[in-house]
Amino acid sequence: MNQVTEQTLVVGIDIAKRTHYACIVDDRGRVLQKSFSVPQAGNGFELFYQRVLAAMKEHEKSEVIVGIEPTGHYWLNLAYFLEERGIPLVMVNPMHVKRSKELDDNLPTKHDRKDALVIARLVKDGRFSYPRILKGMEAELRVGSTFRSKLTEELGAVKNMIIRWLDRYFPEFVQVFPSFGKMALAALECTPFPSDLYQKQPDEVLSLFRKVEGLKSPQRPKTVRLIEVAAGSIGVTEGLEMARIEIATLVRRYHQLEQDIESITGQLIELVK
């Protein structure tokens, strides 16, 4: 609460994707400037900055504090803009905003102009926290680790799609390959359907697997077992042409994601060092 004094201009901003709304109050919560729009693009931030400076001069304030309700990632651009100009940015709890907006007019309605005023008054009461604005190596690690998490999540989604495909066309496959190792993916690439293994000899199938990049010595016992389970498969035998394209695409995507995750992991390790 000591951060907000009689010399402090308090600005509340409701964050949105394209247009934010700001409201300026004094240390007692009295409105000095009603809500006005702050475009995210173009020179919107610079115009907002000039307007804040003009308000400080008009109302004879020597300090300013800007408060926001964090909304996704849309506040980051504004945060770095204010950081460069030495203006402190604080965050209020979204739950506090939700519960406080009825105090002024007894209405639970939500709109950007009203929220900006609620945020400003929460800030003047000291109900805020300071966010960490990441810079340099910390920013690199945050961006990299977030991207790696998204790739890992996508890899899991592709894996689930392959499992659903197998449930339809080759449900016995998981009896031989319970996980998606190199040989399992090679089998899906070369012989995805039970019909591809019909009356094939193990050596003939092994020669196909050896042509797959990264698989030097496929296991003969697993190959024999795969041929055995394929002979009694109950998999669907309709729509195989498009299903073949589907599984080939999924296997390629799985390989690509594995490579991307390995690459980004290596780069993150180097950054950490």
Side-chain angles (χ1 to χ4, degrees):
M1 292 181 68
N2 292 335
Q3 305 299 309
V4 182
T5 68
E6 292 182 0
Q7 294 301 312
T8 305
L9 195 75
V10 181
V11 184
I13 301 181
D14 186 72
I15 300 294
K17 183 174 182 178
R18 291 187 174 86
T19 302
H20 313 319
Y21 281 90
C23 179
I24 300 177
V25 302
D26 62 11
D27 63 299
R28 293 183 60 188
R30 293 174 297 197
V31 177
L32 301 180
Q33 284 194 23
K34 293 183 178 180
S35 294
F36 56 92
S37 61
V38 181
Q40 171 86 340
N43 62 345
F45 287 172
E46 186 61 38
L47 293 175
F48 162 72
Y49 176 63
Q50 296 300 328
R51 189 162 183 169
V52 170
L53 293 181
M56 290 177 66
K57 184 176 181 181
E58 178 185 351
H59 299 285
E60 299 180 348
K61 305 291 185 181
S62 59
E63 299 174 355
V64 62
I65 187 169
V66 176
I68 64 168
E69 175 189 6
T71 304
H73 58 275
Y74 300 121
W75 62 276
L76 285 171
N77 304 68
L78 178 63
Y80 284 108
F81 177 87
L82 296 175
E83 175 82 9
E84 291 175 359
R85 285 151 183 79
I87 296 178
L89 178 74
V90 299
M91 288 183 171
V92 299
N93 191 317
M95 187 60 68
H96 292 170
V97 176
K98 182 178 180 181
R99 292 178 176 174
S100 300
K101 63 178 62 180
E102 297 180 38
L103 296 177
D104 292 329
D105 54 13
N106 291 323
L107 295 174
T109 54
K110 173 179 175 59
H111 54 78
D112 300 332
R113 296 178 184 274
K114 179 179 176 180
D115 285 356
L117 176 58
V118 173
I119 291 167
R121 285 177 171 166
L122 284 170
V123 172
K124 67 92 178 173
D125 289 336
R127 304 180 189 279
F128 60 79
S129 60
Y130 285 96
R132 287 191 62 205
I133 308 298
L134 300 181
K135 295 181 178 181
M137 191 59 68
E138 277 190 315
E140 296 286 354
L141 290 170
R142 171 64 63 82
V143 172
S145 61
T146 301
F147 181 53
R148 184 184 182 279
S149 296
K150 290 178 180 177
L151 290 177
T152 304
E153 185 179 334
E154 187 178 348
L155 182 66
V158 171
K159 182 178 179 180
N160 289 336
M161 291 172 70
I162 293 175
I163 291 172
R164 287 196 294 271
W165 187 96
L166 287 170
D167 289 341
R168 294 197 302 269
Y169 300 102
F170 200 168
E172 299 79 12
F173 187 89
V174 294
Q175 297 176 16
V176 184
F177 299 107
S179 60
F180 295 122
K182 289 183 178 180
M183 187 170 175
L185 292 172
L188 287 174
E189 186 175 332
C190 300
T191 57
F193 297 110
S195 58
D196 295 329
L197 297 160
Y198 182 66
Q199 293 186 342
K200 290 277 179 66
Q201 295 300 314
D203 290 336
E204 188 178 355
V205 177
L206 284 168
S207 65
L208 289 174
F209 291 170
R210 290 192 185 98
K211 294 178 182 179
V212 176
E213 185 179 354
L215 186 65
K216 297 180 179 179
S217 53
Q219 300 175 39
R220 185 182 180 85
K222 283 188 176 294
T223 304
V224 173
R225 178 63 178 152
L226 187 64
I227 295 173
E228 290 175 354
V229 299
S233 176
I234 59 167
V236 174
T237 56
E238 299 296 333
L240 299 189
E241 184 178 347
M242 294 308 298
R244 190 181 295 277
I245 294 173
E246 180 184 357
I247 191 62
T249 303
L250 290 173
V251 170
R252 280 199 307 272
R253 187 62 185 142
Y254 193 93
H255 280 306
Q256 184 62 52
L257 286 167
E258 279 192 324
Q259 293 172 10
D260 291 343
I261 291 171
E262 183 179 355
S263 174
I264 195 69
T265 302
Q267 293 180 59
L268 283 170
I269 289 172
E270 290 303 314
L271 286 174
V272 170
K273 289 179 180 179

